[in-house]
Structures are given as structure tokens and as C-alpha cells.
Amino acid sequence: MEETTTAQSQIDLLQAALDHVNQGFSVFDKDLRLVAWNRGLWEMLDFPQALAKRGTHLEEFLRVNAERGEYGPGDTSGKIQRRLDRARLFESHYFERVRPNGQIISVSGTPLPQGGFVTTYTDVTKDRKLQEKLERTVEERTRALRQSEDWLRLVTDNIPALIAYMAPGPIFRFANRRYAEWFGHSIASVANRPAAEVVGETLFREIAPHIEHAFRGNAVSYEYVRKRPDGETVSMRSTLIPDMTKDGRTLGVFVLSLDATEQKRSEATLMQSQRMDAVGKLTGGLAHDFNNLLTILMGNLLSLSRQEGPLQPEALKARVSPMMQATQRGADLTQRLLAFSRGRPVDPQVVPLATVLENVSALLQGSLPPPVQLVVDDCSQNVAAQIDPTQMETALINLAFNARDAMPEGGELHISSEEVEIDERRAADLDVTPGKFACINVSDTGAGMDEDTKLRIFEPFFTTKTFGTGSGLGLSMVYGFMRQSGGAIEVISTVGNGSRIRLFLPALPISDATTFNNANGSNELPLGDGELLLIVEDNADIAEVLAEQVRDLGYTALLAEGAEDARSLAAELPELRAVLSDIVMPGQMNGLALAREIRASRADLGIALMTGYADWGNLETPEKEIDFPVLTKPLRPEKLAIVLKQIMSK
């Protein structure tokens, strides 16, 4: 009894809720008999209350509608039977019905899994009248535009700009002569055509979001690039202005487009000039970075020179590895400077921070004076960040040597990391997005900084060091790198209590990280089996170093005296297995042309190229069309080993 009362209470509660919905609602079972309804159904459709009971057949509702003319004139029985036949199909359906009193009702029915269907009824009269009003307004404005078109064309056809008007759709209602001709049409052929047909599907996909934004009532400006029929690439700058009524409705969009090709060329020239000016200023910062790297090399070389007697392999590796890493960092710095001077961006990678700190620790070991004690805590193996790993290591080295300079009498340099959650308030202070961040701390026990110094340390060319010993660009470059990486930097320091620099980087899961091997990687290199390799390098000293690298990897090296000699040797030595050639060489034939000529006559030879340039000199061939692997000097042993094994296995 109690369960029955509870169930009835729940049903009554559900019915009360349905009665408050501003739509009509009904449920019919598989026999087309009424199971459930709400009050809105009777209020909206004026059904007799006698029908409001479970078990009423759908036919009775249809008969009421038919007899009062809801379905129009004609055979009443036939109209009812056709609707019953469709209902027994139990299919999803939607339609709008205009009642004799002018009321417009939308009817949406959905079949139920056990048979029957649920139907909702919505009064859309107000919406449809508003839509009709909007359409009439558009028609009126369009008519006015057509009436004044002759005058409008007289003005717009003599303006050195592309002018058009789009109605919702978007559909062009007007275009001046320049606009029509720009897209290969006549004035008459543009009118009343969809925008996608006029501008082309490819360009329309690019600019469609801007058009949609303009139809929402916003002024929009954007640029796009297009090729003329003669093959010339031109840049256009377009502005879209919504045509709005006083009550805020958007009737259409005015379009104004200008040829920005010459302006873009001027901007590119100015940008290149500014970039080269920046390169001159960056040279000081890079000199600072190179001095740090040379310090690492010198510190380890001095340590080796002080050793008496033979060195154990482990001790030798401990000194040589950071020198190898420092050398590679120097090569990376050079490549970045060359790439920057030519406007090439550096693509960041998702890198495990543990690997970065391990590399930095190896670089700094033996490179700091004895009074400075280096402590590097183990980093979590589960945290990564999207950064340029070389720039990250360079930033940490800059901070480490700044800390060293702050402790002339010695002290402790401590590098640690942690994962932190930054809330909205803290994020606002750091100017970052709230969320999880990896925080790298670089602390020292040095002299510390006063408030004025802390406020200025990230200014370019600001330094507290003796003239000639610091460029003032180290910390500004660290700051710029952190901002480019979506992070932030914080300085905590007081005079006499040391300094703590905190680097915040958006934390990413380690599963997103790409492979990032350090120079100490212990992975075994793929070695050769004495195969003959031809080296083409115009610098004799570099050629000997390359030959030694190749021999260390298990290959036999043969040096060519130039491009002509290499071409002859490739043709005369059947036992030759591969060619490794520099790209930029003196003479009329560069390495790429040589490689293609050798490939044409000896398809069995593996060929790889190498270069010390960021854009490979003045080659006119785009990089994506170079069908040979390209190694960057200085050659990393692991990369060289992999490429040689690849080209010889083809």
C-alpha cells in the first residue's frame, strides 16, 4: 500500500512538472491510445476536456481537428484515415501546421522503443511572424538598393577599391566593376549569386568565419593571398561592415577590399631591416652565451690538463661529454641566429624536463669554480613542457653563470623543479593562464639584489657587471624565451640573502613528449661493416675530421678533391656504397647538383648532404623538394650513424 502511494505521488509530481512546460506534450502507446499528456496540450489546441483521459484513441483527436477545419476542406474520413495510417508507421516526424485562427504550431514526434510515440507541440507563431518581418525588411532594403544602383555604380566604379554588398546566405546583391573583374565575373553575373560561387570554394572556406562574424553584427578586417591569372601572388586586405537596423538586426554586410601587395612588400622589407638590426644587438647576447659555453670547455680542459697519469674511461667520459654538449649547444645557437636573421621560426617540442635538467647538470659539472657547489635535484619523470630544448638549456646556463658571478667567494647553486597549480589570482600576477605549471628554481647564496635592480634585470643591455664583462642581454633573452613558451619568470631576492629565479612553464603529460636524447645518450649507434663511403668536402681539415667520424662508425672513408673528382670516382668505383657531400662548395657545381647527377648514373648509391648554413646558401630549390637527407654541421655522431645506415640500406 505504501509503495502504491509513493508511486502515485511520483506520478503526480511528474504530471505537475509537465503541466508547467510551455509546450504541449502527449504520449500514445502502440495501439495509438493516449497514455500521458500535459495541460499545455489542451490550452494550445483547444481539445475538449472529455478527451483528457488515458485510453482515448488518436482517431478521436484527429476527428475533432478535421471537423473544425484544422486540415482544410474535403473528405473528413479520408483525412483522418491517412493520418492514422502514417501514425501506425511510428516514424520520426516534424511539420508545422497553420490553424484556422492563424496560429502556427510545430509538431515533433519521436517513436518509442516499446511502440507508440511521444509528441511535442510548440506555438511558433511569434517566431514565424518575426521571421517574415525580417524577410520583408530585407526585401525593402534590397529594393531600395536596386533603385539607387545606377547612382551607386557611378561612384563605386570610379573608386580604386573592391566594393560589394552581401545579403544573408551569404549572397552577393551588389559588386562594383573592380570587385567583379577581380574574381573573373561581370557585374551582372555576380548579383544574386552565392558568395562561394563568386570567390571560389577554396577562398570561401578561408574567409567564411570572418563573414559569419560580420553577420553577427561585428566589424571585421582580415587579409588573404590570391594568385592572379598571370601567376602573380597578391595580398588583399578586406573590411566587412554589418548593415544593421536601429533595433540591432543585421540586414547584410558591406565589403571593402584593397590591394595590399605593395604595402606587404614594404612591411617585409622594413621587418627584414629591423630583424638585421636586432641580429646586431643579439650578437652581444650570443657572445655572452658562447662565453658561457667556452667556460664549460675551458673548465673541463683545465681539469683534464691537471690530471696526472692515465685517466679511467669513466673519468674521461665525465669531462668529454659536457664538452661535446657545449659544442652542440654552440652549433644550435649559430643555427638559431641564422634562422632568425632569415625570419625562420623555431618550432618547439614537447620535452621531458628531467632530460633538460640532466643535460644542464652535465654541462655545469666541472665548469664552475671549486668554491661554488652545484646541487641539482632529481626532476619528476612525469612532467614535460612545450619548449625549444636548446633555448631552455641556454637559459638555465645563463642563470647558473649569473649565480656564479654573484658568489665570487663561493656558495651553493641549487637547481630544482616542482609541479604547481596556479589559480586565477596568481595567474593574473604572472600574466599566464591558470592551470598546472612546471616550476624550475635556480637559487644561489650570493649577494642578492635590491628593489631597483630587480625591477630592471630583464631590460635589454642592463647589467650590474663591470664594463666589458657582461652584455646585459642574458636575462632579457631568458625572459623573452619564457614568454614565447607561454610561461613566466619570477625573481625573489633581497640584499645579502641570495636570489631565487623561478621559471614557470605550462605542464604537459610525459606521454605527449617527443624523443629527446642528450649528448651523453648511452644508446648503441648503428655501425657499418667496412663499406666504402665517398666524402666530398672542400675544407681539408673538416674533411679529415669527417673521415675520422665515419671510420669510428665502422665505414671506410675515401676523400674527393672536389665535385669533378667525386663524379669520376662515383663512376669508376663499383665497390663504392655511398656519398656524403657538402652542399655549398666553390665552383659552378654545388653539392645538390652533384648528388642529382650521381643519382642519375648510379641509382644504387646512397647519398646524403651536409651543410653549415641555415638556408643552405643561395640555392633556389625549396627544402621540401630536396630528395636527399640533409645533415647540419657539426655532425652529431648518432644522427650521422642513423643516416648512413638508412642510405646504405636502400
Side-chain angles (χ1 to χ4, degrees):
M1 182 65 178
E2 183 178 347
E3 292 181 358
T4 303
T5 302
T6 302
Q8 184 60 46
S9 297
Q10 292 176 341
I11 292 173
D12 292 342
L13 180 63
L14 177 60
Q15 184 66 53
L18 291 174
D19 286 341
H20 282 81
V21 175
N22 60 359
Q23 293 175 293
F25 171 83
S26 67
V27 179
F28 287 85
D29 62 15
K30 60 184 178 60
D31 297 321
L32 300 183
R33 294 190 177 277
L34 184 64
V35 175
W37 65 93
N38 73 340
R39 185 173 58 201
L41 177 64
W42 262 256
E43 293 178 350
M44 186 182 302
L45 299 180
D46 304 321
F47 285 125
Q49 286 298 320
L51 300 182
K53 59 183 178 180
R54 291 183 176 84
T56 303
H57 198 277
L58 175 63
E59 181 178 358
E60 297 187 46
F61 291 93
L62 297 177
R63 186 170 302 281
V64 170
N65 280 342
E67 290 177 349
R68 63 188 180 188
E70 297 277 355
Y71 304 142
D75 178 19
T76 299
S77 298
K79 293 178 182 295
I80 294 172
Q81 190 58 48
R82 285 194 297 273
R83 283 166 173 77
L84 285 173
D85 292 340
R86 284 201 299 269
R88 290 190 179 98
L89 296 175
F90 298 111
E91 296 177 341
S92 297
H93 56 276
Y94 176 87
F95 60 88
E96 294 184 2
R97 178 157 55 86
V98 181
R99 302 187 66 202
N101 62 0
Q103 184 184 29
I104 303 173
I105 303 296
S106 72
V107 182
S108 177
T110 304
L112 299 172
Q114 64 272 28
F117 53 85
V118 58
T119 306
T120 56
Y121 308 82
T122 307
D123 187 341
V124 296
T125 308
K126 184 177 180 181
D127 292 340
R128 294 299 172 263
K129 289 184 177 179
L130 182 62
Q131 183 177 347
E132 290 176 3
K133 182 180 179 181
L134 176 61
E135 291 174 353
R136 285 197 302 271
T137 304
V138 172
E139 290 176 0
E140 292 170 1
R141 294 299 296 270
T142 302
R143 190 179 304 112
L145 283 171
R146 287 173 178 168
Q147 291 174 352
S148 61
E149 186 172 346
D150 291 341
W151 174 83
L152 188 62
R153 290 208 178 281
L154 180 64
V155 176
T156 59
D157 284 348
N158 288 281
I159 294 176
L162 279 60
I163 300 173
Y165 182 88
M166 284 188 289
I171 296 174
F172 279 100
R173 298 299 188 196
F174 171 85
N176 71 345
R177 176 177 52 81
R178 293 175 187 270
Y179 196 100
E181 291 176 352
W182 173 251
F183 289 106
H185 296 280
S186 65
I187 292 175
S189 67
V190 170
N192 300 317
R193 288 186 66 179
E197 293 182 12
V198 175
V199 305
E201 291 288 347
T202 302
L203 178 58
F204 182 73
R205 282 195 297 270
E206 180 182 343
I207 66 176
H210 303 297
I211 295 175
E212 293 173 4
H213 193 52
F215 271 104
R216 289 195 291 268
N218 305 286
V220 181
S221 294
Y222 60 90
E223 295 181 359
Y224 66 89
V225 176
R226 184 173 178 269
K227 277 193 175 182
R228 286 177 172 163
D230 60 5
E232 182 185 1
T233 300
V234 291
S235 298
M236 297 297 293
R237 183 173 291 120
S238 294
T239 300
L240 307 181
I241 304 295
D243 177 19
M244 304 184 69
T245 62
K246 292 182 178 179
D247 58 356
R249 291 176 291 122
T250 303
L251 303 179
V253 172
F254 296 102
V255 183
L256 173 66
S257 296
L258 298 171
D259 188 338
T261 307
E262 289 302 321
Q263 182 179 349
K264 297 291 285 186
R265 287 174 182 165
S266 299
E267 289 175 355
T269 302
L270 176 60
M271 188 177 298
Q272 179 66 12
S273 174
Q274 292 174 338
R275 185 180 294 115
M276 296 311 297
D277 180 60
V279 167
K281 295 177 180 178
L282 281 173
T283 304
L286 289 172
H288 175 265
D289 291 338
F290 272 109
N291 284 337
N292 289 343
L293 296 175
L294 290 173
T295 300
I296 294 171
L297 292 171
M298 186 176 297
N300 284 280
L301 287 171
L302 286 174
S303 180
L304 287 173
S305 68
R306 297 191 189 102
Q307 296 290 332
E308 296 181 1
L311 278 175
Q312 294 297 321
E314 293 78 6
L316 180 61
K317 182 179 180 180
R319 297 303 180 192
V320 172
S321 291
M323 290 193 289
M324 291 291 293
Q325 286 183 269
T327 303
Q328 187 57 52
R329 295 291 86 75
D332 291 342
L333 281 171
T334 303
Q335 289 297 321
R336 277 212 317 279
L337 178 61
L338 291 172
F340 174 79
S341 67
R342 293 169 174 86
R344 292 190 174 191
V346 177
D347 294 327
Q349 310 167 34
V350 180
V351 177
L353 291 183
T355 305
V356 174
L357 292 192
E358 181 184 345
N359 285 0
V360 171
S361 177
L363 282 166
L364 294 175
Q365 291 290 349
S367 305
L368 298 170
V372 175
Q373 180 184 2
L374 174 66
V375 178
V376 180
D377 292 348
D378 290 337
C379 178
S380 169
Q381 297 295 323
N382 300 320
V383 182
Q386 189 168 14
I387 52 175
D388 179 333
T390 300
Q391 285 189 337
M392 184 75 250
E393 292 176 9
T394 301
L396 291 174
I397 290 171
N398 273 334
L399 294 177
F401 281 116
N402 275 358
R404 174 205 62 185
D405 295 340
M407 300 183 290
E409 304 300 326
E412 181 178 282
L413 170 59
H414 189 188
I415 302 177
S416 63
S417 65
E418 58 184 326
E419 190 172 356
V420 298
E421 185 78 27
I422 295 182
D423 58 23
E424 292 188 4
R425 182 175 179 181
R426 180 84 168 114
D429 293 338
L430 294 172
D431 193 19
V432 295
T433 303
K436 288 187 177 181
F437 279 75
C439 177
I440 300 177
N441 299 286
V442 181
S443 306
D444 65 66
T445 57
M449 292 178 277
D450 57 30
E451 290 300 320
D452 290 339
T453 302
K454 282 197 297 182
L455 290 174
R456 300 191 60 193
I457 59 172
F458 298 125
E459 293 181 11
F461 309 109
F462 173 77
T463 180
T464 59
K465 298 176 183 179
T466 305
F467 179 77
T469 62
S471 67
L473 286 172
L475 286 177
S476 64
M477 294 176 73
V478 174
Y479 177 86
F481 163 67
M482 293 303 298
R483 300 305 299 173
Q484 289 171 1
S485 302
I489 184 169
E490 180 182 47
V491 180
I492 302 172
S493 181
T494 55
V495 176
N497 293 311
S499 300
R500 182 184 180 196
I501 310 294
R502 308 189 76 200
L503 308 179
F504 295 93
L505 291 164
L508 296 172
I510 199 69
S511 57
D512 295 343
T514 55
T515 302
F516 177 58
N517 296 321
N518 60 32
N520 293 326
S522 58
N523 296 333
E524 293 186 3
L525 301 180
L527 301 178
D529 191 23
E531 296 93 332
L532 182 60
L533 174 72
L534 179 63
I535 297 176
V536 189
E537 168 60 61
D538 58 284
N539 186 299
D541 293 335
I542 296 177
E544 287 297 336
V545 172
L546 291 173
E548 190 64 30
Q549 280 188 269
V550 167
R551 295 187 190 105
D552 288 342
L553 294 174
Y555 299 95
T556 302
L558 176 64
L559 300 181
E561 295 180 357
E564 290 297 330
D565 186 36
R567 186 164 47 186
S568 300
L569 290 172
E572 297 169 0
L573 297 177
E575 64 272 24
L576 189 64
R577 292 290 307 280
V579 176
L580 178 62
S581 174
D582 193 11
I583 292 181
V584 180
M585 296 187 296
Q588 296 183 348
M589 179 176 289
N590 60 45
L592 178 58
L594 172 65
R596 287 176 172 168
E597 189 169 323
I598 293 176
R599 173 62 56 82
S601 59
R602 287 284 305 272
D604 60 309
L605 284 181
I607 301 176
L609 302 173
M610 53 187 174
T611 182
Y613 288 89
D615 62 354
W616 308 346
N618 297 318
L619 294 182
E620 296 179 356
T621 305
E623 292 180 35
K624 62 182 179 181
E625 297 180 15
I626 307 296
D627 49 357
F628 304 98
V630 179
L631 295 162
T632 303
K633 297 176 182 177
L635 306 187
R636 298 191 183 189
E638 62 272 16
K639 183 66 175 176
L640 177 61
I642 292 171
V643 170
L644 292 183
K645 183 62 71 172
Q646 287 175 344
I647 64 174
M648 290 195 185
S649 62
K650 292 183 178 180

